[in-house]
Amino acid sequence: MAGYRRQLYRDDAVVLRVQKLGESDRIITLLTRRHGRLRAVARGVRRTTSKFGARLEPFGHVDLQLAGDPKGELGSSLHTVSQVEGIDLYGKRFLGDYPRYTAASAIAETAERLTPVEREPSLRLFQLTLGALRALADGEHATTLVLDAYLLRGMALAGWAPALTACAVCGTPGRHRAFSVPAGGAVCPDCRPPGAAHPAPATIDLMSALTVGDWRIADATEHGVRRECSGLVAAHLQWHLERALRSLPLVDRGVPSASGAGRPAGDTGTVAPAGAALPPDRASQDVSRESNE
């Protein structure tokens, strides 16, 4: 538009993803507090002389000044980063920690998938994402628990929360043994579809605890229960997203070890394939088979 001058505005944001642009620039995907998800060009940040390149790395909480129309009605859809101040760069605190880094990657990818429309404010998702990254950085809870809690609460914000205290089909209250991803969660014997999983009661209890933030129950669970919970949560999420998350198969779910040496707080074991890496239908079948064994 002739004569259009890009306005400046400020917001704080979580850096979800970065992409190379040209020889020295990057496109930064941000989840902002007041303007939802948006993309902005950071010019020259890949040069060694860049003043704020290190502040625009994934998982950081930053305060930015952006050039562009906040409503996206005028000018380019890509804004321009003109100033950045780091509030808390969480990525630096677990850059060399594979389990926490991959869990943070899954959180960032999920946040991007749960905001399909750019510039649509989503304050609760912003706060949830920021809290999950802070919990990973602090290391007070196992990384898989933090990730699964984030996925469950993120689905609740999107309206996809799995039914846990009543039948997903008929609404009969109670803790039902069968769990069906296509049906929407726990199902009673009368509504149980073929191929439904049969997780342990402790797994349903863990999912409920993570949903409401009862860390006393969550931290006391065993590894097998956590792994079964992860499979169901990932299957439920990917069923509703209608596509797999690329980062979930990389998450280190771990297997128990005798010493647990060299692991981050709350995690033990070595890399092992996770049920969460499977497509929704196969993940449910895997959980059901493990439970029956």
Side-chain angles (χ1 to χ4, degrees), residues 42-43 65 67 103 120 127 136 154 159 195 205 209 221 250 265:
R43 303 196 181 281
Q65 179 174 272
E120 185 175 277
Q127 294 173 330
L136 283 179
D205 291 341
T221 54
L250 305 177

Short mmCIF file of all heavy atoms in Angstrom, two decimals, residues 42-43 65 67 103 120 127 136 154 159 195 205 209 221 250 265:
data_model
loop_
_atom_site.label_atom_id
_atom_site.label_comp_id
_atom_site.label_asym_id
_atom_site.label_seq_id
_atom_site.Cartn_x
_atom_site.Cartn_y
_atom_site.Cartn_z
N ALA A 42 13.96 -12.04 11.45
CA ALA A 42 15.06 -11.47 12.24
C ALA A 42 16.25 -11.32 11.30
O ALA A 42 16.87 -12.32 10.91
CB ALA A 42 15.40 -12.37 13.42
N ARG A 43 16.55 -10.10 10.93
CA ARG A 43 17.56 -9.86 9.91
C ARG A 43 18.96 -9.86 10.52
O ARG A 43 19.22 -9.22 11.54
CB ARG A 43 17.29 -8.54 9.20
CG ARG A 43 15.91 -8.48 8.57
CD ARG A 43 15.77 -7.38 7.55
NE ARG A 43 14.42 -7.34 6.99
CZ ARG A 43 13.98 -8.16 6.03
NH1 ARG A 43 14.79 -9.09 5.55
NH2 ARG A 43 12.73 -8.06 5.58
N GLN A 65 10.26 -6.10 20.28
CA GLN A 65 9.63 -5.01 19.55
C GLN A 65 9.54 -5.45 18.09
O GLN A 65 10.53 -5.82 17.49
CB GLN A 65 10.44 -3.73 19.65
CG GLN A 65 9.83 -2.56 18.89
CD GLN A 65 10.56 -1.26 19.13
OE1 GLN A 65 10.27 -0.53 20.06
NE2 GLN A 65 11.53 -0.98 18.28
N ALA A 67 7.93 -4.84 14.05
CA ALA A 67 7.45 -3.89 13.06
C ALA A 67 6.45 -4.58 12.16
O ALA A 67 6.74 -5.61 11.55
CB ALA A 67 8.62 -3.35 12.23
N ALA A 103 11.77 -33.28 24.67
CA ALA A 103 10.46 -33.00 25.24
C ALA A 103 10.05 -31.55 24.96
O ALA A 103 8.89 -31.27 24.62
CB ALA A 103 10.47 -33.26 26.74
N GLU A 120 -4.29 -15.09 16.31
CA GLU A 120 -5.50 -15.33 17.11
C GLU A 120 -5.07 -15.51 18.55
O GLU A 120 -4.46 -16.52 18.91
CB GLU A 120 -6.23 -16.58 16.61
CG GLU A 120 -7.56 -16.82 17.32
CD GLU A 120 -8.31 -18.00 16.73
OE1 GLU A 120 -8.99 -17.79 15.71
OE2 GLU A 120 -8.19 -19.12 17.27
N GLN A 127 0.41 -19.28 28.40
CA GLN A 127 0.80 -19.50 29.80
C GLN A 127 1.13 -20.97 30.05
O GLN A 127 2.08 -21.28 30.79
CB GLN A 127 -0.31 -19.03 30.73
CG GLN A 127 -0.55 -17.53 30.70
CD GLN A 127 -1.76 -17.10 31.49
OE1 GLN A 127 -2.74 -17.85 31.63
NE2 GLN A 127 -1.74 -15.89 32.03
N LEU A 136 10.44 -27.87 32.71
CA LEU A 136 11.53 -28.66 32.15
C LEU A 136 12.88 -28.09 32.57
O LEU A 136 13.81 -28.83 32.91
CB LEU A 136 11.44 -28.70 30.63
CG LEU A 136 10.40 -29.61 29.99
CD1 LEU A 136 10.45 -29.48 28.48
CD2 LEU A 136 10.61 -31.07 30.40
N GLY A 154 -3.21 -29.15 27.05
CA GLY A 154 -3.38 -28.51 25.76
C GLY A 154 -4.60 -29.04 25.02
O GLY A 154 -5.35 -28.28 24.40
N GLY A 159 -10.51 -28.52 23.50
CA GLY A 159 -11.79 -29.23 23.54
C GLY A 159 -11.67 -30.71 23.22
O GLY A 159 -12.67 -31.36 22.91
N GLY A 195 -11.12 -53.60 19.67
CA GLY A 195 -9.77 -53.07 19.63
C GLY A 195 -9.46 -52.03 20.68
O GLY A 195 -8.38 -51.43 20.65
N ASP A 205 -5.45 -43.18 36.53
CA ASP A 205 -5.24 -42.28 37.67
C ASP A 205 -4.14 -41.27 37.36
O ASP A 205 -4.24 -40.09 37.74
CB ASP A 205 -4.89 -43.09 38.92
CG ASP A 205 -6.05 -43.91 39.43
OD1 ASP A 205 -7.21 -43.61 39.06
OD2 ASP A 205 -5.81 -44.87 40.19
N ALA A 209 -4.35 -37.24 37.26
CA ALA A 209 -3.48 -36.42 38.10
C ALA A 209 -2.74 -35.38 37.27
O ALA A 209 -2.60 -34.22 37.67
CB ALA A 209 -2.50 -37.31 38.85
N THR A 221 4.37 -42.49 40.62
CA THR A 221 4.03 -43.59 39.73
C THR A 221 5.27 -44.32 39.24
O THR A 221 6.38 -43.78 39.22
CB THR A 221 3.24 -43.08 38.51
OG1 THR A 221 3.99 -42.03 37.87
CG2 THR A 221 1.89 -42.54 38.94
N LEU A 250 11.16 -38.92 18.83
CA LEU A 250 12.51 -38.64 19.32
C LEU A 250 12.58 -38.49 20.83
O LEU A 250 13.68 -38.47 21.39
CB LEU A 250 13.03 -37.36 18.67
CG LEU A 250 13.02 -37.32 17.13
CD1 LEU A 250 13.49 -35.97 16.63
CD2 LEU A 250 13.89 -38.43 16.56
N ALA A 265 17.12 -34.83 36.53
CA ALA A 265 16.26 -35.03 37.69
C ALA A 265 14.93 -35.63 37.28
O ALA A 265 14.26 -35.13 36.39
CB ALA A 265 16.03 -33.69 38.41
#
